[in-house]
């Protein structure tokens, strides 16, 4: 088997040697596509992001002062919950209501939009697609509070950020500001 692979490798190099040999460059040689266009090992498109660092905690991604300045939360106290290998969770206990942030990383299983849609459907309420944050984002405002899910593709994996709270009114735009800040930190 090894001799067969060596012979196959040598045979595949013959056309390359024939193309580069002695004569003057002709029209056929100048029309050949660059190697990056025909190589199966071409680099990934520039729109793919390299995977971010492994997350060890969620609380540092959203400091309590940010919850105070953006949401008007009163005296939020962060508590890191032990998480599994794919997600980190921070609970914020506040006199103005409880909040939590979940940041997960998992192998991409579909598009960013499909993954965000699957996560947000775990919650109930009116569902709104949100633009301008991450690769895909959804927001819901229901009887149990508000939730925003944002996904961002990073190489072969997907980063999913979920933030839930219970505030009066419709804090959708404020949640966009908070989650943009989280994305900047990861």
């Amino acid at each position: 088997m090894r001799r067969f692979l060596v012979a196959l490798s040598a045979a595949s190099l013959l056309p390359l040697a024939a193309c580069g040999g002695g004569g003057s460059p002709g029209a056929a040689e100048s029309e050949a596509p660059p190697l990056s266009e025909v190589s199966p090992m071409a680099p990934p498109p520039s729109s793919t992001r390299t995977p971010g660092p492994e997350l060890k905690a969620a609380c540092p991604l959203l400091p309590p002062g940010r919850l105070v300045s953006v949401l008007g939360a009163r005296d939020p106290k962060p508590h890191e919950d032990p998480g599994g290998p794919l997600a980190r969770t921070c609970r914020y206990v506040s006199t103005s209501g409880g909040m939590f942030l979940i940041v997960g990383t998992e192998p991409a299983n579909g598009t960013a939009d499909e993954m965000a849609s699957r996560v947000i459907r775990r919650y109930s309420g009116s569902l709104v697609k949100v633009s301008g944050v991450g690769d895909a984002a959804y927001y819901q405002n229901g009887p149990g509070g508000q939730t925003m899910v944002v996904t961002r593709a990073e190489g072969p994996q997907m980063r999913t950020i979920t933030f839930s709270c219970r505030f009066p009114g419709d804090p959708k735009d404020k949640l966009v500001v908070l989650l943009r800040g989280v994305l900047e930190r990861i």
Side-chain angles (χ1 to χ4, degrees):
M1 180 68 162
R2 187 171 190 182
R3 270 190 234 148
F4 173 74
L5 291 175
V6 170
L8 182 61
S9 294
S12 65
L13 293 176
L14 286 177
L16 292 176
C19 290
S24 62
E29 286 180 4
S30 65
E31 292 174 9
L35 183 59
S36 64
E37 290 180 18
V38 295
S39 171
M41 301 303 280
S46 61
S47 62
T48 58
R49 295 174 194 88
T50 56
E54 178 184 347
L55 295 176
K56 303 206 186 284
C59 291
L61 300 174
L62 186 55
R66 192 82 171 127
L67 293 170
V68 171
S69 67
V70 174
L71 274 180
R74 291 184 302 270
D75 196 30
K77 303 279 189 238
H79 300 279
E80 190 76 33
D81 288 342
L86 299 179
R88 301 289 179 238
T89 301
C90 185
R91 284 182 304 114
Y92 299 89
V93 179
S94 169
T95 57
S96 56
M99 299 157 275
F100 68 89
L101 172 70
I102 302 171
V103 181
T105 305
E106 60 186 288
N109 184 10
T111 66
D113 192 68
E114 291 167 338
M115 290 191 75
S117 178
R118 281 193 297 265
V119 173
I120 195 74
R121 295 197 189 287
R122 297 177 192 156
Y123 303 91
S124 62
S126 58
L127 187 63
V128 177
K129 188 168 183 162
V130 179
S131 61
V133 59
D135 292 337
Y138 285 93
Y139 170 77
Q140 71 81 29
N141 189 355
Q146 302 87 13
T147 301
M148 184 171 286
V149 174
V150 175
T151 53
R152 180 172 73 185
E154 295 180 354
Q157 57 190 22
M158 193 71 66
R159 191 83 74 168
T160 304
I161 300 132
T162 304
F163 184 81
S164 288
C165 60
R166 191 174 201 158
F167 278 84
D170 189 3
K172 178 181 77 164
D173 294 335
K174 294 175 181 180
L175 297 186
V176 167
V177 170
L178 288 176
L179 294 180
R180 278 186 188 145
V182 170
L183 283 170
E184 289 172 4
R185 292 173 174 256
I186 55 176

